[in-house]
Amino acid sequence: MVTAVRYLGPNWYASVMGTAALATAGAALGVGGIHELLVGVWALSLLQLLALLAARALHWAHHCDQARAHLLDPAMAPFYGCLSMALLAVGGGTLALGRDWIGEPAAVALDAVLFAAGTAVGLAAAVAVPYLMAVRHRVEPGQATPVWLLPLVAPMVAAALGPRLVPHLPAGQPRETLLLACFAMFGLSLLATLLMLPLVFARLVTGGPLPLTLTPTLFLVLGPLGQSTTAVGTFADVAPGVVPAPYDGGFGLLAVLYGVPVMGFALLWLALAVSHLVRARRQGMRFTMTWWAFTFPVGTCVTGAAALGRHTGLAVYDWLAVGLYFLLVVGWVAAASGTVRGLLGGALLTGPRAVPVGPLPVTGRTASDAVR
């Protein structure tokens, strides 16, 4: 077991995120008849999280040289944001679904613990990873990929899920403080994403398509878009009675005036990502762990569209959420089946293989196992 986890990187937390998103996005649809199934999916995500935390603890205890190598690898270090988002995603599902299994008091306590831990890790990653990129990684503009967004979007996940704990705090300043802290993390993540996203788009336009193994990471751009739309919708749900007028109504305006155009851009990017994916599949793209990018980011768009449906009253957003959830299910099945086959065959826990991270004509490579 100790040897098997040597190459187990933080990118594996993406599988937890994807499974939790499958559960919570389904709950956001409010479709009857599948609630018990969604509770089971959430329970699976919790078991995945516990198993991975244990395996990663073994990794750090017995293979600290490889763990340090991951931090110094520009292709792997951004995935440390996935630990934060896995904790937060499972915690968010605890209140939405887990209460039916463990009861509301235990669900609130577990969500509070996971939210606190996930937020702390996410804020640390949002600072540490860009710092390492600047002083240790020596990256080039042609190496920019959507993976760079991962540590920056983690605080946005905290911003979207934290307000669910607001009603469980004492009335007054505790509730307002948590809500405005989540709003601050929304701004932190949004502005950081706006700084990083032009680098990713410029790399895509000027450097040509991403290597086949990295093509699924284009879906990661949907994460900050869908999650920020979800966040403003959640702020508007919670704000009445928590922040004074007229600010409570301002959150309702923000949910629509921000969410509608951002969801429009998310759909544009989804079309672009799908086009690149079709091209990559035609050229022989095979399964790697990057396929989990098909899950959590799409799940955030499901919850974002559902939030717009609540705040605009337009049925078109409800139908959009259903359509996106269908894509999420397809993506989860593809990623989960590929992961199971890779684990049973042993391919996913072997040593790294070289993969390109720059434009196709460039011969530079990285030793990262981030795409396994």
Side-chain angles (χ1 to χ4, degrees):
M1 176 63 181
V2 172
T3 303
V5 301
R6 175 167 178 78
Y7 298 107
L8 188 72
N11 55 312
W12 278 76
Y13 286 112
S15 64
V16 179
M17 296 161 54
T19 303
L22 184 67
T24 54
L29 297 179
V31 178
I34 62 171
H35 186 78
E36 290 74 14
L37 176 61
L38 296 176
V39 173
V41 174
W42 170 81
L44 175 61
S45 72
L46 177 60
L47 292 175
Q48 284 181 270
L49 177 63
L50 294 175
L52 272 177
L53 288 174
R56 288 286 294 166
L58 287 175
H59 176 85
W60 274 94
H62 298 280
H63 304 289
C64 58
D65 61 322
Q66 187 66 25
R68 287 194 297 268
H70 285 164
L71 282 171
L72 298 179
D73 185 344
M76 179 64 80
F79 284 97
Y80 274 90
C82 290
L83 168 58
S84 166
M85 291 185 280
L87 294 168
L88 291 165
V90 174
T94 303
L95 278 183
L97 297 163
R99 67 174 67 194
D100 294 345
W101 184 33
I102 62 177
E104 183 166 336
V108 172
L110 180 57
D111 186 24
V113 170
L114 293 176
F115 174 76
T119 300
V121 172
L123 292 174
V127 174
V129 175
Y131 173 80
L132 289 173
M133 292 175 68
V135 303
R136 297 295 298 273
H137 290 168
R138 301 295 187 269
V139 294
E140 300 292 335
Q143 293 177 305
T145 73
V147 172
W148 289 8
L149 295 170
L150 286 173
L152 304 179
V153 76
M156 186 67 78
V157 179
L161 297 177
R164 297 181 182 180
L165 287 169
V166 168
H168 301 281
L169 293 177
Q173 288 207 10
R175 292 185 179 183
E176 186 175 359
T177 298
L178 178 57
L179 180 58
L180 293 185
C182 291
F183 192 37
M185 288 189 289
F186 165 85
L188 178 161
S189 180
L190 177 63
L191 295 176
T193 298
L194 291 177
L195 290 175
M196 189 68 75
L197 188 55
L199 298 178
V200 175
F201 187 66
R203 152 67 183 88
L204 188 64
V205 173
T206 62
L210 294 176
L212 298 184
T213 54
L214 293 178
T215 298
T217 65
L218 289 172
F219 285 78
L220 294 178
V221 176
L222 297 174
L225 302 176
Q227 198 65 275
S228 61
T229 303
T230 303
V232 293
T234 308
F235 298 156
D237 294 337
V238 174
V242 174
V243 296
Y247 303 113
D248 55 349
F251 280 112
L253 291 174
L254 181 64
V256 176
L257 297 182
Y258 173 88
V260 170
V262 171
M263 185 56 64
F265 179 68
L267 294 177
L268 170 66
W269 192 273
L270 176 61
L272 178 66
V274 169
S275 299
H276 278 263
L277 179 64
V278 170
R279 173 189 174 275
R281 287 292 288 170
R282 288 176 175 174
Q283 294 190 357
M285 182 187 75
R286 297 182 178 180
F287 173 79
T288 66
M289 287 297 288
T290 57
W291 281 33
W292 283 102
F294 300 146
T295 58
F296 188 80
V298 178
T300 67
C301 292
V302 174
T303 55
L308 286 174
R310 291 196 308 273
H311 291 285
T312 65
L314 296 177
V316 64
Y317 285 113
D318 296 328
W319 285 108
L320 175 61
V322 172
L324 290 171
Y325 190 71
F326 174 76
L327 292 180
L328 170 60
V329 172
V330 172
W332 185 87
V333 170
S337 60
T339 301
V340 170
R341 288 195 303 270
L343 284 173
L344 294 178
L348 290 180
L349 293 177
T350 59
R353 61 175 181 267
V355 296
V357 298
L360 290 178
V362 177
T363 57
R365 296 183 179 270
T366 176
S368 171
D369 54 341
V371 300
R372 295 205 62 82

